[in-house]
Amino acid sequence: MLVRWVPPSEGAIKLNVDGSSRGNPGRAGCGGLLRDQDGNCIAGFLSYIGFAGSVEAELIAIRHGLWLAWQSGYRKVECESDCMVALKIIHDNAEGFPELADIVEEIHQLMLLEWDVTIYHIMREGNSCADFLAKMGSCSNSTFSLMINPPPELTALLLADSKGVLYSRV
């Protein structure tokens, strides 16, 4: 199976997010970025969470990313996460995960704002830019860092995405 990053539909902005936990649970962070139809990075973030599991980190990434998109004035957002468990928890209102209920409620409140937002799954191979930022977040000491310009180390991954480079999923 071949996987690639897919640009957002016309008039929308793409939000890619990811969580990272070194140890699961362990030192955790998250990251994400907003991109236009050409794959250009408009804004991004990374965040150190503390000691957490990967699903909690992913949910925090979704919350941070939606907040950033709303605050940036975007009203049509396609959010992609590579964590099916997190997406199911959001869909099921955190049923069976009471420790994550507050984060899920915050995500639901953001989704109820006056905008068109969808959250769906992307294969890990198509989410490499957000993965890069999430790993940076787990190594950071900042609880939230907003980036207007992506770090230089992210340039090659952004270019590959914008050119439609295919990655093999085993």
Side-chain angles (χ1 to χ4, degrees), residues 111-170:
M111 293 178 71
L112 290 173
L113 297 172
E114 291 186 35
W115 62 340
D116 180 9
V117 62
T118 54
I119 303 175
Y120 50 93
H121 184 257
I122 184 174
M123 296 292 186
R124 181 182 65 244
E125 294 80 2
N127 205 32
S128 60
C129 291
D131 176 70
F132 179 87
L133 293 172
K135 287 186 169 91
M136 280 185 70
S138 69
C139 296
S140 171
N141 290 319
S142 175
T143 55
F144 187 86
S145 293
L146 175 64
M147 296 179 305
I148 302 305
N149 297 310
E153 304 89 354
L154 190 55
T155 304
L157 292 172
L158 285 167
L159 182 60
D161 281 355
S162 69
K163 299 294 183 193
V165 171
L166 296 169
Y167 298 95
S168 182
R169 179 163 177 83
V170 182

Side-chain angles (χ1 to χ4, degrees), residues 80-125:
E80 294 181 329
S81 163
D82 61 13
C83 181
M84 287 291 287
V85 174
L87 299 180
K88 182 167 177 24
I89 289 170
I90 292 168
H91 183 266
D92 294 345
N93 294 315
E95 189 173 315
F97 296 90
E99 70 280 9
L100 301 174
D102 288 344
I103 301 167
V104 171
E105 177 59 26
E106 290 173 18
I107 292 168
H108 285 163
Q109 290 303 312
L110 284 164
M111 293 178 71
L112 290 173
L113 297 172
E114 291 186 35
W115 62 340
D116 180 9
V117 62
T118 54
I119 303 175
Y120 50 93
H121 184 257
I122 184 174
M123 296 292 186
R124 181 182 65 244
E125 294 80 2

Side-chain angles (χ1 to χ4, degrees), residues 9-77:
S9 58
E10 188 164 332
I13 205 77
K14 179 71 65 100
L15 167 63
N16 289 96
V17 297
D18 200 17
S20 174
S21 177
R22 301 191 181 257
N24 200 26
R27 186 176 172 94
C30 64
L33 63 161
L34 298 170
R35 291 191 271 186
D36 64 17
Q37 285 83 9
D38 296 321
N40 297 314
C41 181
I42 298 164
F45 70 91
L46 58 88
S47 175
Y48 171 64
I49 296 168
F51 190 84
S54 59
V55 174
E56 181 179 2
E58 193 83 21
L59 289 168
I60 292 171
I62 293 168
R63 180 187 65 197
H64 282 343
L66 291 176
W67 178 86
L68 176 59
W70 176 261
Q71 291 300 319
S72 299
Y74 296 106
R75 296 301 177 256
K76 186 173 182 185
V77 178

